[in-house]
């Protein structure tokens, strides 16, 4: 959602800027905070107005007084639920890329992917390729896992690659599932790289 006093479709420029992202390029993901919005007239907001907009998880292309001039930037970069747009955009790409990669694995197989650990590992390898792309484009990075309930991971465990993939042994499948030729679920834990958007600077002076 974007506020504009004169342009009801200003959010179109916001999305157009985001959708130029090349997820196959190195370090290509970016936050829209502080970016330009071609074709949109920048707003002049009071602190009270800006705070009200922030409380509703809205966005705005706004003017700031910097030195003797003005600079216009996109502010907040949030979705209506409070999540950051760049993370939601990146995870949408990740879900689509994983689905596409696994589908292509089935489609291009000259024989068949066996219903064994070897076959399951082929699917896991395809998911790993997408995770490696997510490292390359800047979606995920090494970090500490801070959640409970993921098989094979404990809270506080470090993910040195930024991701962790888990799958139950194929021998533990229920027979009814096996007869449908469905692979055991593959669970992927991702540690988002995140982004810095605000900073507090404390200056101590001594004479």
């Amino acid at each position: 959602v974007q506020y504009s006093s004169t342009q009801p479709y200003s959010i179109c420029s916001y999305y157009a800027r985001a959708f130029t992202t090349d997820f196959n390029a190195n370090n290509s993901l970016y936050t829209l905070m502080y970016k330009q919005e071609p074709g949109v007239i920048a707003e002049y907001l009071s602190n009270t107005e800006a705070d009200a907009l922030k409380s509703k998880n809205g966005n705005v292309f706004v003017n700031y007084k910097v030195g003797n001039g003005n600079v216009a930037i996109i502010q907040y970069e949030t979705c209506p639920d409070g999540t950051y747009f760049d993370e939601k955009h990146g995870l949408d790409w990740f879900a689509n890329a994983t689905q596409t990669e696994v589908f292509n694995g089935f489609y291009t197989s000259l024989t068949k992917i066996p219903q064994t650990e070897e076959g399951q590992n082929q699917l896991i390898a395809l998911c790993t390729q997408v995770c490696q792309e997510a490292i390359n484009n800047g979606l995920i990075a090494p970090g500490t896992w801070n959640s409970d309930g993921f098989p094979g991971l404990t809270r506080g465990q470090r993910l040195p690659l930024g991701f962790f993939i888990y799958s139950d042994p194929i021998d533990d499948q229920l027979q009814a599932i096996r007869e449908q030729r469905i692979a055991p679920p593959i669970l992927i834990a991702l540690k988002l790289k995140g982004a810095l958007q605000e900073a507090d600077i404390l200056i101590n002076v001594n004479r």
Side-chain angles (χ1 to χ4, degrees):
V1 174
Q2 180 168 333
Y3 168 77
S4 173
S5 60
T6 59
Q7 298 170 284
Y9 301 106
S10 58
I11 194 69
C12 294
S13 180
Y14 179 100
Y15 286 135
R17 178 66 188 264
F19 295 156
T20 62
T21 303
D22 181 359
F23 287 96
N24 296 317
N26 179 257
N27 200 30
S28 57
L29 272 65
Y30 56 85
T31 170
L32 287 170
M33 181 81 169
Y34 302 106
K35 301 302 186 295
Q36 298 299 299
E37 229 179 7
V40 176
I41 300 170
E43 302 289 328
Y44 289 90
L45 299 183
S46 67
N47 287 340
T48 300
E49 291 170 330
D51 289 343
L53 188 61
K54 185 176 184 180
S55 71
K56 299 179 185 298
N57 296 321
N59 298 280
V60 64
F61 187 55
V62 65
N63 270 305
Y64 271 89
K65 184 78 171 175
V66 178
N68 294 323
N70 291 328
V71 62
I73 62 168
I74 296 172
Q75 186 164 282
Y76 302 129
E77 203 247 11
T78 50
C79 296
D81 65 354
T83 58
Y84 290 104
F85 178 82
D86 62 294
E87 292 184 344
K88 187 153 292 210
H89 188 201
L91 291 172
D92 282 348
W93 162 80
F94 185 87
N96 180 70
T98 303
Q99 185 179 41
T100 301
E101 195 71 22
V102 173
F103 175 85
N104 286 338
F106 286 117
Y107 181 71
T108 60
S109 178
L110 297 178
T111 55
K112 67 178 180 179
I113 296 178
Q115 200 166 3
T116 62
E117 286 301 329
E118 177 190 353
Q120 185 74 352
N121 286 336
Q122 289 182 41
L123 301 183
I124 292 173
L126 295 171
C127 295
T128 301
Q129 288 179 21
V130 181
C131 291
Q132 295 289 353
E133 289 184 48
I135 293 172
N136 182 61
N137 64 32
L139 177 63
I140 64 175
T144 301
W145 187 252
N146 294 315
S147 298
D148 296 318
F150 193 95
L153 285 181
T154 56
R155 179 186 289 267
Q157 183 175 340
R158 184 159 179 81
L159 301 185
L161 297 176
F163 70 92
F164 177 81
I165 300 178
Y166 176 86
S167 175
D168 284 328
I170 204 160
D171 287 344
D172 293 346
Q173 267 193 312
L174 295 174
Q175 187 62 29
I177 300 297
R178 179 174 177 81
E179 288 175 358
Q180 297 177 65
R181 296 189 166 187
I182 299 174
I186 297 172
L187 308 180
I188 304 175
L190 299 179
K191 185 67 180 181
L192 294 174
K193 193 172 189 177
L196 299 177
Q197 294 187 177
E198 297 183 33
D200 290 327
I201 311 297
L202 306 180
I203 302 174
N204 292 326
V205 179
N206 181 261
R207 176 175 291 134

